[in-house]
Amino acid sequence: MTAVAAAPTRRVRAASAPGRSRESRGTRLGLGLAAWAVGLLFVLPLVWMVLTSLHSETDAASPSPQVFAPLTLEGYREFFGAASGANPWPALINSLWAAGVSTILVVLLAVPAAYALSVKPVRKWSDVMFFFLSTKFLPAVAGLMPLYLIAGRLQILDNIWFLLIIYAAMNLPIAVWMLRSFLVDIPPALFEAASLDGAGLLTTLRRIILPIISPGVAATALICFIFAWNEMLFARVLTGVTANTAPVYLTGFVTSQGQFLAQVCAAATVVSLPVLIAGFAAQDKLVQGLSMGAVK
């Protein structure tokens, strides 16, 4: 009697399995289409910027979209000073130097700090983490005047090294928070085994921690690089001619007279290339790092 009663149950389950399979395929299809829609939503402005940079100023400033207008490289020639003689390379090199060196400095300082706050926690480590986070509460413009006065008193205005230190200080709290979330997930047994084998702190950091959290370090470094590369407020006020960065140089194409949309799009495309290249080069590490717990 039990076997007879169980037979209809098996038939009901077998009949409902195709329905669940179709529902699962429909859900995956819907999620896939939604992901494509969100991706296109983010990529479309970038594609439109590149397309506009390849149009003439007349077509770029047209009220109606000129998608099939003739393509030209005039905007890029203007950016590189074909007619005006302007040279964008010092500004691009300054941005690369400030963003790159500040990112390296942030990673070198953030890894041992995150280690001390996670693997070997100090007393009241939560207060320390809150202090790091509280440094981001102050609006950047509120600290602009004191930094300007300090730089003027020390005679380091228009100095790329002063800007580099500011970028490192701005990104260090974020890097410590992100790297600590990676280090907390490492099993303590690995550190105990390294200690039993006689490994010191530097050896543990170099041979055990860094290989494990390398995706997290890559994600943290890329985010800090993007923040430093895109920063314009401090660069605009604290630099002049020698140390101006790419975002500051880009604003010089916006004038009150004439047409400048194609030139601005060309300049924005060139300025965006280092970040895009870094993102594509580290996309595997970035996705892996974010999935490890950098963003929770």
Side-chain angles (χ1 to χ4, degrees):
M1 182 175 179
T2 303
V4 174
T9 303
R10 287 197 297 268
R11 285 197 295 270
V12 169
R13 291 178 179 176
S16 61
R20 289 200 301 269
S21 178
R22 286 194 296 269
E23 182 180 355
S24 177
R25 286 197 297 268
T27 302
R28 289 197 300 268
L29 179 60
L31 292 176
L33 293 176
W36 274 102
V38 173
L40 291 175
L41 184 64
F42 281 95
V43 172
L44 186 59
L46 180 62
V47 174
W48 188 259
M49 179 183 71
V50 175
L51 183 62
T52 304
S53 70
L54 296 173
H55 288 164
S56 64
E57 291 292 353
T58 303
D59 293 330
S62 176
S64 58
Q66 301 293 322
V67 179
F68 301 103
L71 303 181
T72 178
L73 295 176
E74 187 63 28
Y76 292 93
R77 285 194 289 265
E78 289 293 334
F79 174 75
F80 287 103
S84 61
N87 185 11
W89 289 111
L92 292 172
I93 293 174
N94 285 337
S95 283
L96 185 61
W97 180 258
V101 176
S102 67
T103 299
I104 294 174
L105 183 61
V106 165
V107 171
L108 292 177
L109 294 175
V111 170
Y115 176 85
L117 293 168
S118 58
V119 180
K120 300 290 184 180
V122 298
R123 291 183 59 188
K124 297 184 178 180
W125 63 269
S126 59
D127 295 339
V128 177
M129 295 299 295
F130 178 77
F131 171 75
F132 280 137
L133 186 62
S134 66
T135 60
K136 305 299 293 181
F137 294 168
L138 181 70
V141 68
L144 188 59
M145 182 57 68
L147 289 174
Y148 181 84
L149 295 176
I150 292 172
R153 185 66 60 88
L154 298 177
Q155 297 182 356
I156 53 176
L157 283 173
D158 200 14
N159 190 310
I160 194 63
W161 287 99
F162 183 58
L163 200 64
L164 185 153
I165 294 173
I166 292 176
Y167 289 168
M170 291 171 55
N171 290 327
L172 185 58
I174 300 174
V176 172
W177 269 84
M178 292 182 65
L179 291 176
R180 184 188 177 276
S181 65
F182 299 132
L183 290 169
V184 168
D185 294 334
I186 298 178
L190 292 177
F191 303 104
E192 296 174 0
S195 178
L196 291 176
D197 291 339
L201 175 60
L202 294 179
T203 302
T204 303
L205 287 174
R206 187 177 67 254
R207 295 189 177 182
I208 298 177
I209 295 179
L210 287 180
I212 295 175
I213 66 169
S214 58
V217 173
T220 304
L222 182 59
I223 291 175
C224 292
F225 180 84
I226 292 174
F227 286 169
W229 181 271
N230 292 335
E231 199 282 325
M232 191 180 72
L233 178 62
F234 289 100
R236 182 72 175 178
V237 176
L238 300 178
T239 65
V241 178
T242 304
N244 67 329
T245 58
V248 177
Y249 182 82
L250 191 150
T251 59
F253 291 91
V254 180
T255 62
S256 59
Q257 297 178 351
Q259 297 176 340
F260 54 83
L261 184 58
Q263 294 182 29
V264 170
C265 288
T269 301
V270 175
V271 171
S272 302
L273 281 178
V275 174
L276 293 176
I277 293 173
F280 278 114
Q283 60 179 336
D284 295 337
K285 293 289 186 181
L286 179 62
V287 174
Q288 186 179 356
L290 294 178
S291 64
M292 284 175 61
V295 176
K296 294 185 178 180

